[in-house]
């Protein structure tokens, strides 16, 4: 669709940026915080790039005021951050930790004082280790109650001040990396267990959404889904079918459950035949149906292109966590699909295709299928930034990346997408999980690397000043 004129960004558009507790806070064992699965996992040799961990991260726990002051100077309208479950309930359940609650009180109040809308993520992958040890974390239905209690405690404490809430961050990613690719905790490679853990996570997600309606009646809540739209490699019907398989298998499997409380039929049949479908208990589908979100949170980084994969074809493979371009193998599910490089698109050093128009396609597909408003809860570019003399970081490539994605947002708004906001990943540089500190995403450079914490000085990159102007003009000047 080529529009003759383009709509403006809505007046109340949430110009945001995002982070996650484990990636920025540090203070991993302070003020009563208990250990999370990531605190434990990173200590196994060989799991992360150069053995990095989030013990100190970028020290946001102690420097949050300075970070918020920089946000305020930028004119940021919204800041998405996650709460570390283990600060609130050090053991995941039982006794609540007042010091942990107070930290987020202070952060929220600081944001509000500066007219920045807080967006809370309830769960950004840092599970209390105690719950992993006690009953296997997401593999036990016990977690539904514990996650519910934790979430309700947050609704009650912050619901008077916080309107926007995100339940699970990238359920598809933490489940697949944790139970299939075995690169995130609990480092399992077992499809049957993966589908079961995922079903339990969906129930937990739906149950907290249902309670949210009572506790924060004026609020808005939704999950953040890592949506990578599927493309067909060629116009051969077998490639088109492969891309449909991938869209259903990788995307609808989660989003249909969020929006409708239903699993997609074709994939359900496939998994049942393979003996992999999750076991449902009585009442599960009702729980899922009661968890309809107010918006679909979308973390968009890339599209993926697919072609036919024969029954003896490739399956899942290793990820590029080093930034050495071209080291990602093609992966797939035998009999369903396999990935193939899209020759029309450039890629980042971590082999993620750069596809701004793919974002418009993502927004359009969600709008047409689910008719929900959308919050872009993450979008951004991971790159090797260079700190030049006089504290300059010339990240023109990041500006170009975000500008093109925002142009496509505007096209999507003109198409009729109800877009609530756009959170850039990330606000400051941070720990990129398995990728260390060298994969930088922030508007604010943090002077540290894998080898040394240095002084962790905050330095505004060129993209900081550019985004400041974008916000000031409500997107008129991109
Ligand atoms: C998605 C995750 O939510 C975030 O934690 C991660 O760092 C970014 N993607 C970049 O990989």
């Amino acid at each position: 669709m080529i529009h003759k004129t383009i709509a403006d960004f809505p007046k109340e558009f949430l110009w945001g940026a995002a982070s996650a507790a484990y990636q920025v806070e540090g203070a991993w064992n302070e003020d009563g915080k208990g250990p999370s699965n990531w605190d434990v996992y990173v200590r196994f040799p060989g799991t992360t790039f150069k053995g990095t961990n989030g013990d100190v991260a970028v020290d946001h726990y102690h420097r949050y005021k300075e970070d918020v002051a920089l946000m305020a100077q930028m004119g940021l309208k919204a800041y998405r951050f996650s709460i570390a479950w283990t600060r609130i309930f050090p053991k995941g359940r039982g006794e609540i930790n007042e010091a942990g609650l107070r930290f987020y009180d202070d952060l929220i109040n600081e944001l509000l004082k500066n007219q920045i809308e807080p967006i809370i993520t309830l769960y950004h992958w840092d599970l209390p280790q105690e719950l992993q040890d006690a009953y296997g974390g997401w593999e036990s239905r016990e977690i539904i109650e514990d996650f519910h209690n934790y979430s309700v405690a947050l609704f009650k404490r912050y619901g008077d001040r916080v309107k926007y809430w995100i339940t699970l961050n990238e359920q598809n990613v933490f489940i697949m990396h944790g139970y299939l690719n075995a690169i995130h905790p609990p480092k399992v490679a077992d499809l049957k267990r993966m589908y079961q853990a995922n079903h339990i996570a969906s129930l937990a997600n739906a149950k907290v959404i249902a309670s949210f309606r009572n506790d924060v009646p004026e609020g808005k809540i939704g999950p953040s889904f890592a949506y990578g739209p599927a493309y067909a490699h060629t116009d051969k019907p077998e490639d088109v079918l492969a891309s449909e398989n991938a869209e259903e298998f990788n995307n609808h499997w989660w989003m249909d459950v969020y929006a409708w409380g239903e699993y997609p039929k074709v994939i359900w049949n496939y998994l049942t035949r393979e003996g992999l479908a999750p076991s449902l208990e009585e009442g599960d589908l009702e729980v899922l149906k009661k968890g309809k979100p107010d918006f679909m949170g979308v973390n968009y980084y890339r599209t993926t292109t697919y072609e036919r994969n024969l029954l003896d074809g490739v399956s899942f493979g290793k990820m590029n966590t080093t930034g050495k371009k071209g080291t990602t193998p093609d992966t797939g599910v035998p009999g369903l699909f396999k990935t193939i490089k899209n020759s029309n698109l450039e890629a980042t050093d971590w082999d993620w295709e750069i596809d701004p128009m793919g974002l418009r396609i993502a927004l359009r597909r969600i709008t047409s299928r689910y008719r929900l408003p959308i919050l872009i809860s993450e979008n951004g570019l991971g790159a090797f930034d260079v700190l030049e003399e006089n504290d300059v970081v010339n990240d023109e490539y990041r500006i170009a990346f975000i500008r093109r994605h925002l142009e496509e947002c505007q096209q999507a708004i003109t198409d009729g997408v109800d877009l609530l906001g756009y959170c850039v990943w990330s606000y400051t540089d941070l720990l990129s999980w398995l990728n260390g500190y060298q994969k930088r995403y922030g508007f604010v450079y943090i002077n540290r690397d894998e080898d040394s914490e240095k002084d962790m000085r905050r330095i505004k990159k060129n993209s900081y000043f550019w985004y400041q102007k974008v916000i000031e003009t409500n997107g008129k000047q991109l």
Side-chain angles (χ1 to χ4, degrees):
M1 199 178 288
I2 301 175
H3 297 295
K4 296 200 181 96
T5 50
I6 280 291
D8 287 335
F9 284 94
K11 255 179 112 197
E12 300 305 314
F13 194 71
L14 296 169
W15 295 101
S19 75
Y22 187 71
Q23 299 183 270
V24 295
E25 285 179 4
W28 77 286
N29 57 0
E30 286 181 39
D31 298 334
K33 180 182 169 297
S36 75
N37 56 347
W38 275 89
D39 290 322
V40 174
Y41 182 66
V42 290
R43 288 172 215 285
F44 294 114
T47 51
T48 64
F49 179 72
K50 289 196 176 176
T52 39
N53 64 47
D55 288 4
V56 177
V58 299
D59 200 28
H60 175 69
Y61 189 78
H62 298 114
R63 302 182 195 219
Y64 76 91
K65 280 200 177 163
E66 184 186 347
D67 291 342
V68 175
L70 285 171
M71 292 175 204
Q73 263 183 49
M74 187 196 228
L76 203 71
K77 301 274 188 224
Y79 176 54
R80 173 187 174 221
F81 61 94
S82 80
I83 292 189
W85 187 340
T86 50
R87 287 200 194 284
I88 310 303
F89 289 99
K91 297 186 171 184
R93 54 188 170 175
E95 213 177 306
I96 200 158
N97 177 32
E98 181 56 33
L101 285 165
R102 250 196 327 267
F103 169 68
Y104 297 106
D105 261 329
D106 293 345
L107 174 60
I108 291 165
N109 293 342
E110 195 69 20
L111 291 166
L112 292 173
K113 203 169 84 190
N114 287 288
Q115 286 84 48
I116 301 167
E117 186 86 47
I119 303 177
I120 289 182
T121 308
L122 296 172
Y123 182 79
H124 203 123
W125 304 356
D126 44 352
L127 180 78
Q129 180 63 31
E130 286 267 343
L131 302 186
Q132 184 63 43
D133 296 340
Y135 52 67
W138 292 108
E139 290 190 76
S140 163
R141 284 176 180 254
E142 279 189 58
I143 200 168
I144 300 171
E145 207 47 48
D146 289 336
F147 183 61
H148 182 257
N149 289 341
Y150 156 69
S151 303
V152 167
L154 301 183
F155 297 157
K156 291 201 186 309
R157 179 79 171 217
Y158 309 124
D160 59 336
R161 283 158 290 160
V162 178
K163 180 173 176 195
Y164 291 96
W165 297 73
I166 283 167
T167 50
L168 301 179
N169 179 71
E170 296 192 350
Q171 181 184 337
N172 52 333
V173 171
F174 78 77
I175 289 288
M176 287 177 86
H177 282 355
Y179 294 91
L180 168 62
N181 305 318
I183 53 174
H184 279 195
K187 208 174 190 320
V188 169
D190 184 322
L191 274 171
K192 177 81 189 154
R193 285 168 68 184
M194 181 190 102
Y195 282 109
Q196 196 58 32
N198 184 62
H199 178 62
I200 291 171
S202 295
L203 291 168
N205 180 75
K207 191 172 154 86
V208 301
I209 292 182
S211 289
F212 182 80
R213 308 280 168 232
N214 300 325
D215 294 329
V216 195
E218 304 298 311
K220 304 265 177 222
I221 194 163
S224 270
F225 182 68
Y227 185 25
Y231 290 172
H233 177 50
T234 69
D235 55 8
K236 282 189 215 149
E238 55 262 39
D239 286 348
V240 175
L241 188 61
S243 83
E244 301 246 333
N245 289 341
E247 186 74 6
E248 294 258 309
F249 189 86
N250 290 333
N251 298 322
H252 297 168
W253 185 259
W254 282 271
M255 289 197 289
D256 284 9
V257 173
Y258 293 142
W260 299 329
E262 280 170 22
Y263 285 106
K265 188 164 180 212
V266 171
I267 304 301
W268 182 270
N269 286 345
Y270 167 81
L271 293 177
T272 306
R273 277 198 310 273
E274 297 287 311
L276 296 172
S279 16
L280 304 188
E281 288 184 7
E282 218 190 305
D284 280 4
L285 293 178
E286 285 69 44
V287 172
L288 293 180
K289 279 192 192 304
K290 283 194 196 131
K292 189 172 166 150
D294 297 300
F295 58 82
M296 192 71 82
V298 173
N299 292 359
Y300 175 80
Y301 289 90
R302 62 196 287 191
T303 50
T304 306
T305 303
Y306 295 94
E307 64 176 359
R308 176 187 207 187
N309 195 14
L310 297 176
L311 282 171
D312 59 356
V314 296
S315 59
F316 286 91
K318 263 195 134 187
M319 253 175 75
N320 166 0
T321 56
T322 57
K324 284 198 189 85
K325 211 170 178 162
T327 56
T328 308
D330 288 330
T331 59
V333 178
L336 294 189
F337 54 79
K338 80 179 265 298
T339 61
I340 179 161
K341 194 176 151 10
N342 186 329
S343 57
N344 302 294
L345 301 173
E346 292 292 318
T348 71
D349 287 321
W350 282 263
D351 298 320
W352 294 19
E353 292 82 355
I354 300 175
D355 185 5
M357 201 177 282
L359 174 56
R360 181 178 178 193
I361 292 166
L363 299 175
R364 286 265 302 262
R365 285 187 186 173
I366 292 174
T367 298
S368 301
R369 192 171 172 90
Y370 305 114
R371 307 270 171 136
L372 282 169
I374 301 171
L375 174 68
I376 298 175
S377 37
E378 285 184 32
N379 175 237
L381 177 68
F384 294 106
D385 293 334
V386 179
L387 180 60
E388 297 170 22
E389 249 173 70
N390 302 320
D391 276 357
V392 170
V393 180
N394 191 355
D395 58 343
E396 294 305 318
Y397 39 88
R398 180 167 294 107
I399 295 175
F401 180 100
I402 300 173
R403 176 189 291 125
R404 277 293 297 121
H405 283 79
L406 282 172
E407 283 168 359
E408 294 298 331
C409 288
Q410 215 172 349
Q411 294 284 344
I413 292 168
T414 313
D415 292 335
V417 169
D418 184 359
L419 193 60
L420 303 173
Y422 175 85
C423 295
V424 171
W425 186 264
S426 50
Y427 186 66
T428 62
D429 290 341
L430 39 70
L431 173 67
S432 257
W433 303 106
L434 305 176
N435 305 283
Y437 291 93
Q438 60 165 3
K439 191 185 188 191
R440 295 178 184 270
Y441 279 93
F443 287 125
V444 175
Y445 186 92
I446 304 284
N447 192 36
R448 73 153 296 164
D449 58 25
E450 288 80 16
D451 304 317
S452 161
E453 286 161 23
K454 301 187 186 171
D455 57 7
M456 287 191 276
R457 200 160 78 250
R458 274 61 178 145
I459 298 157
K460 296 169 186 164
K461 301 182 192 177
N462 285 4
S463 56
Y464 175 102
F465 301 104
W466 172 79
Y467 200 51
Q468 186 173 44
K469 199 79 208 162
V470 170
I471 299 172
E472 193 187 303
T473 61
N474 201 39
K476 284 210 161 53
Q477 191 176 319
L478 288 182

